[in-house]
Amino acid sequence: MATEGGDFVIQAATFLGAAAVAVPLANRFKLGSILGYLAAGVCLGPSVLKLASMEEGMMHVAELGVVLFLFIVGLELSFARLWALRRDIFGLGAAQLGLTGLVLAALFVTADVLPAPAAVIAGLSLAFSSTAFALQFMKDRGELNTPYGSRAFPVLLFQDIAVVPLLAAIPFFAGGGEAGLGWIDGGKMLGVVAVLIVVGKYGLNPVFRIVASSGSREAFAATALFIVAATAVAVSWAGLSMALGAFLAGALLAESSYRHQIETDIEPFRGLLLGLFFITIGMRLDVPAIIENWALILGGAFGLIAIKAILLIALSRLFGANMGDAMRVGAVLSQGGEFGFVVFSLGGEAGLFTNTQISLLSAIVTISMVFTPAALALANRAARASEKAEDNGPMEGPDTKHDHVIVAGFGRMGQIISQVVGNSGIPITAIDRDPAHIRNAERFGFKVYFGDAARLDVLTTAGAFDAKAVILCMDDRKAVNHAIEALRERSATLCIIAVAHDRLHEIEMQPLGADIIVRETMESSLLIAREALSRFGFADGIIDDIVQEFRKRDRQRLLAQVDSGTSAGMEYLHQPFGSLDQSREKS
């Protein structure tokens, strides 16, 4: 056991070390982190340095990265948005998969490369794009919610839905089974999905509310991971794709008040496991076979990219995309997908493919992934030229998010600020770590997300660096200070408005970099003072002068205390407003 444990630690250290070297190098040359992981896998694999071995259970662990990634994608898409995308999912997505699979299968048969049954399965498998690769690529570039990203995603989603019937068809095409699903299997699938929808709608929020009330970050993260895993296992038992199940779980939580905190806690696990997934793909490459058949593999990869891109551009245009967005969709989905590795393996077991064919097809898919960034760069250049040429007037811009405001802390001040700003038509994203505040806000129609706004990752997930302003009004003064420091360190231009609990807190906040600091009781106290002076008969002009003089002297005291310590400047505190005392007038 000790030896096995030591071997595991050595393997883990090897993977982490390779990723730590390869990913920064890939990012330095603007190749993207995914290609860095693939390169690390090739170097570690049996064909190059032979520093790590592909054990049977490793790929299953790595596939959890894809599962978690689909869960996070689901968090960003509510069922309302999915319904709005139904035309692209079942129209553009279905047309892409069917037409691309048909064209590729016809080419295999015409070239006498594969018999018809194997050609159909291979063609449909290559028609799939890499969900993990394409979505991660768009997410890294902030393009998932652009017009072309909104068209590419439904295509990927339909491909995930189509996984089940294609797997079911393999035994039929191999001549050893029956295609299609029986009534029992179909009922099992529908039943599991129905149960998940009911539990997600009525059960998940109370569970997260109870866990959040405990104050344990570890328990909250464990609960989120458990829900992902349990949902994936349930849909897998029903015969559906685990990735599709994870996406369903995320979509069920897309409207949840706990969405931002869930995404923040799962993100580190998702990143590491998805990286491991791509490392294992790289390790599978048979480098000597690729070198021996380099012309065939490169030709196949470029041919696959060209065919898929051309068909996607044509179909995207048919479904209403402009030429620029159509070219971007064609480029980002032009690669083969990780699902192809699964189909090739199962097809080999069923006798559809030989080992050599599996190795070559897998290499073509992987090489097509490698050239995706270059294809998208070319597509972006061509798209910009096309859009510039078509610019005969105001061109429809990208579907960017409107300026919004983050309100961190939904206590007394946060509620009032949110109402005033929100009533002006500016979108508000409110965050609070007290489940009671969230529950009370829901009673009055407010949407407040659970999250610790002292954490930079939570603020980032909520969109702080895309916001017009971040307003910090949490009850915990240390949390406010930490948030100011973290936000300012990341962005020198972000507008930060902070609420100070008292005078000493404002003094602490002065050097931290907030743009505007407002003392919690300052304005309400001045309003009461104004009303009192008015009752004594002071004219409005005199009241304004008194208040302005107070603000001036208060500012002087504050600056003196900041410069010399909290005890300095107190001589101003009881000093009368001499000039005003001499000129008081009754109205």
Side-chain angles (χ1 to χ4, degrees):
M1 292 295 293
T3 303
E4 292 179 2
D7 290 342
F8 174 79
V9 173
I10 292 173
Q11 287 273 67
T14 303
F15 285 128
L16 292 173
V21 173
V23 173
L25 283 175
N27 288 332
R28 182 181 182 87
F29 292 103
K30 299 182 179 180
L31 297 175
S33 59
I34 293 176
L35 292 185
Y37 287 122
L38 287 171
V42 171
C43 293
L44 292 177
S47 299
V48 184
L49 298 179
K50 302 179 182 179
L51 294 177
S53 59
M54 270 295 298
E55 298 185 11
E56 184 177 351
M58 188 181 302
M59 192 64 186
H60 297 301
V61 175
E63 286 172 354
L64 288 177
V66 179
V67 170
L68 291 178
F69 184 72
L70 264 293
F71 174 74
I72 289 179
V73 171
L75 282 176
E76 298 178 355
L77 290 169
S78 64
F79 278 109
R81 185 179 176 193
L82 286 177
W83 180 250
L85 293 174
R86 65 189 183 279
R87 180 172 178 267
D88 284 336
I89 293 174
F90 296 101
L92 178 58
Q96 181 275 331
L97 187 63
L99 186 58
T100 306
L102 181 63
V103 169
L104 292 173
L107 288 174
F108 286 136
V109 173
T110 303
D112 199 22
V113 175
L114 292 171
V120 172
I121 296 299
L124 289 172
S125 302
L126 293 173
F128 281 76
S129 303
S130 173
T131 299
F133 192 103
L135 288 183
Q136 181 67 33
F137 195 81
M138 289 187 286
K139 193 176 181 69
D140 286 345
R141 296 163 62 98
E143 295 173 344
L144 191 55
N145 292 316
T146 59
Y148 98 83
S150 297
R151 288 193 182 276
F153 177 76
V155 176
L156 293 169
L157 183 56
F158 181 83
Q159 292 175 359
D160 284 328
I161 296 172
V163 165
V164 176
L166 183 56
L167 288 178
I170 290 176
F172 174 78
F173 278 84
E178 296 181 356
L181 296 171
W183 288 104
I184 295 177
D185 293 330
K188 186 192 297 184
M189 291 178 184
L190 292 176
V192 167
V193 171
V195 169
L196 288 176
I197 291 175
V198 172
V199 172
K201 185 173 180 60
Y202 299 105
L204 293 184
N205 268 338
V207 169
F208 278 113
R209 186 180 301 126
I210 293 171
V211 176
S213 300
S214 71
S216 171
R217 286 175 52 187
E218 293 80 6
F220 192 92
T223 303
L225 288 170
F226 169 76
I227 288 173
V228 177
T231 305
V233 169
V235 298
S236 178
W237 171 79
L240 295 168
S241 162
M242 284 200 300
L244 186 62
F247 172 81
L248 178 62
L252 290 170
L253 288 168
E255 299 293 341
S256 169
S257 299
Y258 303 90
R259 175 169 69 90
H260 293 305
Q261 188 69 47
I262 293 170
E263 184 175 350
T264 301
D265 288 342
I266 284 184
E267 181 65 27
F269 299 99
R270 193 277 311 171
L272 283 173
L273 291 174
L274 193 61
L276 177 60
F277 174 79
F278 285 112
I279 288 176
T280 58
I281 289 178
M283 290 177 64
R284 285 184 168 192
L285 289 181
D286 187 350
V287 176
I290 293 175
I291 294 174
E292 183 179 349
N293 298 279
W294 66 270
L296 175 62
I297 292 172
L298 283 180
F302 286 127
L304 177 64
I305 291 171
I307 291 170
K308 293 183 72 173
I310 291 170
L311 292 176
L312 278 163
I313 290 171
L315 290 171
S316 297
R317 291 285 286 166
L318 184 63
F319 278 79
N322 62 44
M323 190 61 187
D325 287 334
M327 286 189 285
R328 294 183 179 100
V329 171
V332 81
L333 300 182
S334 61
Q335 79 288 136
E338 59 274 354
F339 179 67
F341 301 120
V342 178
V343 176
F344 301 148
S345 177
L346 293 178
E349 294 175 4
L352 283 173
F353 309 116
T354 66
N355 290 334
T356 301
Q357 290 169 342
I358 293 173
S359 181
L360 293 178
L361 287 171
S362 299
I364 288 172
V365 169
T366 306
I367 297 301
S368 70
M369 290 182 182
V370 170
F371 285 102
T372 299
L376 190 56
L378 292 174
N380 276 327
R381 182 177 300 177
R384 284 192 293 268
S386 172
E387 290 163 351
K388 185 177 181 180
E390 294 176 0
D391 189 10
N392 297 321
M395 186 174 63
E396 182 182 356
D399 185 19
T400 55
K401 184 190 291 186
H402 295 293
D403 290 333
H404 63 290
V405 171
I406 303 288
V407 177
F410 206 73
R412 295 167 300 174
M413 293 195 69
Q415 294 172 24
I416 296 172
I417 293 168
S418 296
Q419 291 181 64
V420 175
V421 176
N423 287 339
S424 68
I426 297 174
I428 296 289
T429 299
I431 306 171
D432 199 284
R433 66 179 181 181
D434 188 345
H437 286 175
I438 296 173
R439 187 166 57 251
N440 291 332
E442 290 174 347
R443 293 174 182 171
F444 295 97
F446 290 101
K447 183 67 175 180
V448 181
Y449 293 99
F450 175 80
D452 183 0
R455 293 173 55 183
L456 180 63
D457 50 1
V458 172
L459 291 169
T460 303
T461 302
F465 297 103
D466 297 321
K468 196 73 172 178
V470 176
I471 303 175
L472 304 171
C473 40
M474 297 94 81
D475 293 334
D476 186 345
R477 67 172 67 198
K478 291 183 179 179
V480 175
N481 295 353
H482 181 74
I484 296 173
E485 289 180 306
L487 289 169
R488 185 55 74 218
E489 183 177 348
R490 278 282 302 273
S491 174
T493 58
L494 176 64
C495 177
I496 303 173
I497 303 172
V499 175
H501 292 268
D502 51 34
R503 183 180 194 80
L504 294 180
H505 188 204
E506 184 175 359
I507 293 171
E508 292 176 11
M509 292 165 66
Q510 282 294 325
L512 301 182
D515 296 283
I516 299 171
I517 301 174
V518 178
R519 209 177 307 158
E520 192 173 71
T521 57
M522 180 76 159
E523 299 304 320
S524 56
S525 300
L526 288 177
L527 180 60
I528 293 173
R530 291 183 67 95
E531 291 295 329
L533 290 174
S534 178
R535 297 291 179 179
F536 277 97
F538 285 89
D540 289 343
I542 296 300
I543 295 176
D544 289 340
D545 289 341
I546 293 173
V547 171
Q548 189 61 34
E549 181 68 15
F550 171 80
R551 289 185 185 277
K552 176 182 176 182
R553 290 182 177 272
D554 182 76
R555 181 68 178 170
Q556 290 173 343
R557 287 200 304 271
L558 185 69
L559 293 176
Q561 288 175 275
V562 170
D563 292 338
S564 306
T566 56
S567 61
M570 295 304 290
E571 63 273 14
Y572 290 106
L573 188 58
H574 301 293
Q575 184 175 344
F577 300 159
S579 60
L580 293 177
D581 288 340
Q582 301 300 322
S583 59
R584 289 186 300 178
E585 297 178 2
K586 295 289 182 72
S587 58

